[in-house]
Amino acid sequence: MSDHKEGADSARSGHKGGFPRWAFLLIGVLVVVLLSVWLLLRRPASDSGLLPEVRVALVDTARLEVYEEFDGSIRAIRSVEVTARVEGVLEKMLFREGSYVKKGQTLFVIDPRLYQAQVDRALAQLDRAKALKDKADRDLNRIRPLYNQKAASQLDLDNAEAAVECAQADVEIARVDLLEAQVTLGYTRVVAPISGYISERMVDVGALVGPGGKSLLATIVRSDTVMIDFSMTSLQYFQGKDRDVNVRCDDGECLDRLPSYVTITLADGSEYPYRGVVDFADPVVDTDSGTISVRAEMPNPDGCLLPGEKTKVKVLLDVLQGAMTVPAEAVREEEGETFVYVVSADGSVEARPVKVGTKAGKRIVVKSGLAPGEMVATDRFELLFEAVVVKPVGLSDKHNLKKSAVPAEAKR
């Protein structure tokens, strides 16, 4: 009886107080399986007979354009305020707000009656001056024969000639007064000074405008071409100027140099299909920020670039001739060291330190450590180490792969 009780107590203690034996067995099996998988992954691929495939890319040399990105803003190439130049009541508005207007098109009409009266008065004064001039001419024509016959004195002749000259001056004054009145009358019709898109009206019809009232009526913006304003550091500016890039050209110089092209990013993140050219760089460096104000001219035929909009500006600052490049994903950094995995034609792998330069798009410039035609790995880096042998893939021309790849020994 006591033995049976002790056996039951022992069984209960095995389930409640201790860990089940089958659990130890399961853990042991899992450890063995995981260790086996790890050893299979770590052992050289050539021992298994199946070489792991690793995508590679050739070290290439090409002419490379180096761009820098800046924060920029868009403004109209020309913006003109439409103002009332004479005082009066605004009678008409002859345009649709936000529409395209042409140069010389009538936009507003100011009450012209007062200014028309001034024109009529000036015209009447001109007629009066002409009439007095005609009388003075007739008097002189009568006095001159009498003076020749000794029937009129020298004083009479002088007075007649002076009267003609004064009458002629009065005619000229009246003509100027008439012209001034006509010009002032013309200001009652406010026309578009340039072609472009017009803003909303700033005053309502019936309001007093001009010197005694509100003068600003609207604004016209010419935006078929826009200006892109941004700033770059003085170092970036002079680096571009020292290269083959023409950041700013003075008085026709630098005509044999490459213009500094500019591309911008739209609000949706896409690249604008047109590109502009830098046409101005401030000759003075801002002492607070250490930057130089730069301006580029950008075509805007579709009108999709709006003045005041913010954008990202990519500017061509350098052109590298025969630059050696690799895909950016091929470059690795560990513990402060930059290197790439070089794959030879026989599949052997070498981790090689390199010195990199500027990144241009999806490729990065390699200054030293590689030779043109070598292959570098671009993926599966966890499989790569000095003892492994891989199968390079990813080049479209297999013959070119074998022919162009330079063995690691040749590099050494």
Side-chain angles (χ1 to χ4, degrees), residues 187-374:
Y187 290 155
T188 62
R189 300 185 70 85
V190 182
V191 300
I194 62 171
S195 297
Y197 288 92
I198 192 167
S199 68
E200 65 176 347
R201 67 183 186 277
M202 303 298 180
V203 293
D204 294 324
V205 173
L208 178 67
V209 298
K214 191 171 183 179
S215 297
L216 180 60
L217 306 180
T219 302
I220 299 177
V221 174
R222 178 190 163 193
S223 56
D224 54 346
T225 300
V226 296
M227 310 305 294
I228 312 296
D229 295 319
F230 58 97
S231 297
M232 65 171 61
T233 65
S234 55
L235 177 62
Q236 291 168 327
Y237 170 72
F238 287 110
Q239 280 180 341
K241 193 172 183 180
D242 291 340
R243 306 297 204 285
D244 293 331
V245 178
N246 168 26
V247 178
R248 185 184 67 179
C249 200
D250 301 323
D251 299 330
E253 298 177 359
C254 319
L255 296 180
D256 57 339
R257 302 176 70 185
L258 181 66
S260 185
Y261 290 113
V262 171
T263 59
I264 63 174
T265 303
L266 298 177
D268 60 359
S270 62
E271 186 174 291
Y272 186 58
Y274 300 95
R275 63 180 184 175
V277 179
V278 173
D279 68 340
F280 169 78
D282 199 323
V284 179
V285 178
D286 189 296
T287 55
D288 295 329
S289 62
T291 59
I292 294 176
S293 297
V294 184
R295 182 187 70 197
E297 187 174 312
M298 180 74 68
N300 187 31
D302 303 326
C304 62
L305 300 180
L306 302 179
E309 187 177 3
K310 300 297 182 182
T311 185
K312 292 291 185 180
V313 186
K314 288 175 63 177
V315 185
L316 177 64
L317 288 184
D318 199 356
V319 177
L320 305 177
Q321 303 291 347
M324 187 165 53
T325 65
V326 296
E329 61 268 21
V331 179
R332 314 296 296 169
E333 288 188 15
E334 290 184 7
E335 299 179 354
E337 184 179 4
T338 304
F339 64 94
V340 296
Y341 286 106
V342 178
V343 181
S344 300
D346 58 5
S348 60
V349 177
E350 175 193 0
R352 187 181 301 170
V354 293
K355 184 178 180 181
V356 298
T358 305
K359 184 178 180 181
K362 295 182 179 181
R363 300 186 71 84
I364 190 167
V365 176
V366 178
K367 296 182 177 179
S368 62
L370 291 175
E374 287 188 299

Side-chain angles (χ1 to χ4, degrees), residues 355-410:
K355 184 178 180 181
V356 298
T358 305
K359 184 178 180 181
K362 295 182 179 181
R363 300 186 71 84
I364 190 167
V365 176
V366 178
K367 296 182 177 179
S368 62
L370 291 175
E374 287 188 299
M375 293 186 296
V376 293
T378 59
D379 67 355
R380 306 193 72 181
F381 299 106
E382 71 279 359
L383 301 180
L384 303 180
F385 51 93
E386 295 290 342
V388 77
V389 177
V390 299
K391 178 181 179 181
V393 296
L395 298 182
S396 57
D397 189 348
K398 295 182 179 179
H399 173 72
N400 199 26
L401 182 150
K402 293 182 180 179
K403 183 177 179 180
S404 300
V406 179
E409 293 78 5

Side-chain angles (χ1 to χ4, degrees), residues 34 38 46 79 94-96 114 162 173 192 214 218 221 255 276 283 287 289 312 323 334 353 372-373 392:
L34 292 176
W38 183 80
S46 57
S79 178
L94 304 176
F95 66 92
R96 183 169 56 86
L114 175 62
I173 292 173
K214 191 171 183 179
V221 174
L255 296 180
T287 55
S289 62
K312 292 291 185 180
E334 290 184 7

Side-chain angles (χ1 to χ4, degrees), residues 119-138:
V119 170
D120 295 340
R121 181 185 297 110
L123 185 59
Q125 290 176 344
L126 177 61
D127 292 340
R128 181 175 181 274
K130 287 181 178 179
L132 293 176
K133 170 67 167 54
D134 292 341
K135 180 182 179 304
D137 288 338
R138 289 192 299 271

